[in-house]
Amino acid sequence: MYRFGRHLLNSWRQGLLAPGLLLGWEAVIGLFAGVRWLSQRPGWSVPLVLAIVILVIMLAGQLMQLVRLYSEQQPDWPTTWRRVWAHKWQWLAIEALIVVLALPLGLWGLSSRVLVRLPLAASWVNLVSLYRRPVVITAAIVYGVLATYLLLWGPRHFRRLTPQLRRHGSIPQMLMALVISLMLTGVWWGMSEALVWVNWWYDRHGSLLGSQWLLAASLALVWIGFALVSVLGVLTVVWSWCGQPELPRCQRRYSSRALLGGLVCVVLAGGVIQQTLVSQPQFARTVLISHRGVDHHRGVQNTLAALRSVSRERPDYVEMDLHETKDHRWVVLHDENLQVLANRRQTPHQLTLRQLERLSVHESGQSARLASWDHYLRTAERLHQPLMVEIKTTPQDSPGAVRRFGCQYGQRLIRDHAVVHSLDYRVVAELRRALPALRVGYILPFNWVAPSSVPADFYSFQQISASQQFILAAHRLGAPAYIWTPDTTAKMTRMWALGADGQITNELQRLRTATSQPRRRVQWAILQKFIYSY
């Protein structure tokens, strides 16, 4: 193990500092930083496209340089560029595959910037949303196959790109490279979260000026640490790809161009950090929305008792759910079956509204009756409580259900200043067309496509993949961006730092407290959202 560690460290040293390679890494890192800086806001520009093209070319050249170094050849850029150009389409395919594999992992902070620019037909977006479970399972299987092929069996099949490679890496060697890369990432993550804690502590005990300087320094350390870990991870994988050769020591030489490249990286990194510090929106006024009409388990979700209880806290909206019943009416219920809440293996479509109203539902040691939509709406109107109505759809819904809902309740909802949203874009499109005065939003279970692909009056973004770019894209369309469902103070504060217009939560009072803090006490959230973006 000691010998392996010594060889690994030598491969890192040479992969970083061999003549030509240091300048190459500086160029790649600088280009990544430049693309991130240029892509802060949605849309395309000539400098952004140019930076991406140069980055793709430079990355292919740097990888070829590494393979030549680890194949015990002296890398030189003229030969490298000739070989890259000779196999340009294969290199483009490999880099496209790397981008696909890196997208779920952050893509060096560019994932949301890529996805927010992805246009797609609304029907396709809706298909993914409605069948998200099989889509996710299928995508996970395809992802696993592609990752396995590229990382474990790739060295066997890309000999045309690397004819100088004497022997390819074995599967155990590639697995060891993955383990080392994961360990490096874990170290970076742990150190970054430690910096978040330091900032959190100082925000409460130090001065505002000190907090700002500490935040800027922490952002710089996180960025430098991630750049170093990323490069070491690539070096480890390529070294293992080449069979983990034992390399002779070489003399390190630094050129004035490498020094200049380092200065350019520092400037671009400073631009990214400054952009992070001042980017808007941040800490905007937050609309408080009670998820399923409950706060901190007080009451059973979507019941009248819970509505009466939570309305005393005056949320901006009470979010609740509707299902169509067997007799084509509406019951207030989230789940597509009654197994969890009522211990019955039946769906709302198998029972009439009268039958459903007789059922007791149980949650958190409490019981209540299911409520009809008419009764729930009348109660909300009496309490002067605006609602956010989620219309659930299933293949068993009757034809024209959404149209009838709009005709029967649309004007009342407009008068009550209520809003409607749905995971089914057909509902959104039909209600917007029939009732232009009613605010209708679209719920995205994953933030993976340009919001302009699915026009809506507002968007409900899933919090795990929420980013400032999706919020900015919604604002560009004149639509608020709400986040569901952050329930811890840390997540709420981070979503607040992202600039979300509202949050849909099960912990309403906690959200009110979290978003009422002085901004100077929550600077740590800017650092944490920066970490999560990578």
Side-chain angles (χ1 to χ4, degrees):
M1 184 59 71
Y2 172 77
R3 183 181 177 186
F4 173 81
R6 187 160 50 82
H7 293 332
L8 175 61
L9 290 175
N10 188 38
S11 72
W12 286 354
R13 187 183 302 110
Q14 295 204 39
L16 279 171
L17 303 175
L21 281 169
L22 178 58
L23 183 61
W25 285 124
E26 289 171 344
V28 169
I29 293 170
L31 285 165
F32 267 114
V35 170
R36 180 178 173 115
W37 184 74
L38 290 168
S39 60
Q40 170 69 5
R41 293 190 172 274
W44 296 97
S45 65
V46 173
L48 175 60
V49 174
L50 187 61
I52 292 172
V53 171
I54 296 173
L55 173 60
V56 169
I57 296 172
M58 191 65 214
L59 192 57
Q62 187 71 359
L63 291 175
M64 179 63 83
Q65 284 277 78
L66 273 183
V67 173
R68 296 186 66 204
L69 173 71
Y70 290 148
S71 300
E72 301 180 29
Q73 299 182 29
Q74 185 63 36
D76 64 280
W77 282 108
T79 305
T80 293
W81 289 129
R82 285 197 297 270
R83 291 184 177 177
V84 169
W85 178 253
H87 303 289
K88 51 186 175 298
W89 299 117
Q90 291 95 326
W91 273 113
L92 186 61
I94 290 173
E95 291 190 89
L97 180 57
I98 292 172
V99 168
V100 169
L101 293 176
L103 269 175
L105 306 177
L107 188 61
W108 229 82
L110 300 178
S111 281
S112 63
R113 289 163 164 78
V114 172
L115 295 174
V116 79
R117 291 171 166 81
L118 177 64
L120 200 64
S123 58
W124 285 96
V125 179
N126 201 49
L127 188 69
V128 171
S129 295
L130 294 179
Y131 298 98
R132 54 195 177 278
R133 288 183 180 86
V135 166
V136 168
I137 292 172
T138 302
I141 293 172
V142 172
Y143 183 93
V145 170
L146 291 176
T148 301
Y149 173 73
L150 180 65
L151 294 172
L152 301 186
W153 282 282
R156 299 171 181 266
H157 300 290
F158 296 124
R159 297 302 296 273
R160 287 184 60 193
L161 296 177
T162 55
Q164 70 277 13
L165 190 62
R166 296 178 183 175
R167 61 188 180 93
H168 57 74
S170 64
I171 291 178
Q173 287 174 333
M174 296 303 297
L175 288 174
M176 177 63 75
L178 292 179
V179 169
I180 293 170
S181 299
L182 290 173
M183 290 173 61
L184 289 170
T185 304
V187 170
W188 169 80
W189 187 272
M191 294 177 62
S192 299
E193 288 298 318
L195 283 173
V196 171
W197 184 88
V198 171
N199 278 260
W200 174 86
W201 182 89
Y202 194 87
D203 287 346
R204 280 157 175 74
H205 301 91
S207 65
L208 175 59
L209 182 61
S211 292
Q212 292 172 339
W213 278 104
L214 177 61
L215 175 60
S218 299
L219 289 169
L221 287 173
V222 167
W223 190 88
I224 293 169
F226 189 78
L228 179 60
V229 163
S230 299
V231 171
L232 293 181
V234 171
L235 293 175
T236 305
V237 170
V238 175
W239 180 60
S240 298
W241 184 295
C242 298
Q244 296 181 349
E246 182 177 349
L247 302 173
R249 290 183 177 273
C250 68
Q251 185 176 1
R252 290 171 287 181
R253 297 195 303 269
Y254 305 101
S255 66
S256 57
R257 288 184 297 175
L259 178 60
L260 179 61
L263 291 175
V264 171
C265 281
V266 169
V267 171
L268 290 170
V272 170
I273 292 165
Q274 176 66 13
Q275 187 183 71
T276 303
L277 290 170
V278 302
S279 62
Q280 295 298 324
Q282 281 184 359
F283 303 108
R285 182 195 175 277
T286 301
V287 175
L288 309 177
I289 307 168
S290 170
H291 186 229
R292 303 186 194 176
V294 175
D295 179 26
H296 196 62
H297 308 292
R298 289 190 286 271
V300 182
Q301 59 176 278
N302 284 317
T303 60
L304 294 173
L307 171 63
R308 295 189 186 98
S309 174
V310 80
S311 68
R312 300 188 191 106
E313 300 180 40
R314 308 315 305 169
D316 294 293
Y317 293 106
V318 165
E319 193 265 355
M320 38 75 63
D321 310 275
L322 293 182
H323 272 285
E324 190 187 26
T325 65
K326 183 179 180 180
D327 50 350
H328 308 316
R329 299 171 73 184
W330 299 91
V331 64
V332 184
L333 179 68
H334 174 272
D335 297 346
E336 292 185 11
N337 61 69
L338 297 159
Q339 178 63 38
V340 174
L341 294 177
N343 198 28
R344 296 184 60 158
R345 293 185 179 276
Q346 291 178 296
T347 68
H349 292 94
Q350 295 172 322
L351 301 172
T352 65
L353 180 60
R354 184 179 294 273
Q355 291 173 317
L356 287 162
E357 286 182 300
R358 292 173 182 166
L359 293 180
S360 292
V361 286
H362 312 276
E363 189 176 44
S364 303
Q366 303 163 90
S367 299
R369 298 273 186 181
L370 283 175
S372 71
W373 165 230
D374 288 291
H375 195 179
Y376 198 98
L377 179 58
R378 285 197 303 272
T379 303
E381 289 172 334
R382 189 167 61 252
L383 296 168
H384 303 289
Q385 175 60 63
L387 298 177
M388 176 178 281
V389 183
E390 179 178 349
I391 297 180
K392 298 283 189 179
T393 61
T394 70
Q396 290 75 42
D397 290 342
S398 64
V402 175
R403 178 182 53 79
R404 292 195 305 273
F405 176 89
C407 292
Q408 188 172 357
Y409 300 106
Q411 294 305 319
R412 284 178 71 180
L413 293 173
I414 294 169
R415 184 191 65 202
D416 297 340
H417 304 289
V419 298
V420 177
H421 66 168
S422 180
L423 275 162
D424 191 336
Y425 191 70
R426 295 170 298 182
V427 173
V428 177
E430 185 168 348
L431 287 179
R432 292 187 80 213
R433 183 170 56 250
L435 296 160
L438 179 64
R439 292 181 61 230
V440 186
Y442 186 49
I443 304 170
L444 286 113
F446 335 102
N447 304 324
W448 67 284
V449 71
S452 58
S453 301
V454 279
D457 297 312
F458 65 90
Y459 295 92
S460 299
F461 293 120
Q462 211 273 353
Q463 62 97 13
I464 292 176
S465 54
S467 74
Q468 201 167 50
Q469 281 62 53
F470 279 91
I471 293 171
L472 286 168
H475 288 179
R476 195 176 188 183
L477 300 172
Y482 303 139
I483 308 294
W484 59 279
T485 315
D487 287 337
T488 67
T489 300
K491 289 179 181 178
M492 292 169 177
T493 309
R494 194 168 71 249
M495 296 304 108
W496 189 31
L498 282 177
D501 298 287
Q503 298 186 39
I504 306 169
T505 180
N506 296 299
E507 301 288 343
L508 185 65
Q509 192 56 48
R510 184 180 296 169
L511 175 60
R512 191 185 301 276
T513 302
T515 55
S516 298
Q517 301 175 83
R519 178 174 173 173
R520 63 171 297 274
R521 295 189 60 184
V522 290
Q523 297 294 298
W524 62 267
I526 296 176
L527 175 60
Q528 193 164 61
K529 77 170 185 179
F530 184 74
I531 296 168
Y532 275 66
S533 73
Y534 282 95

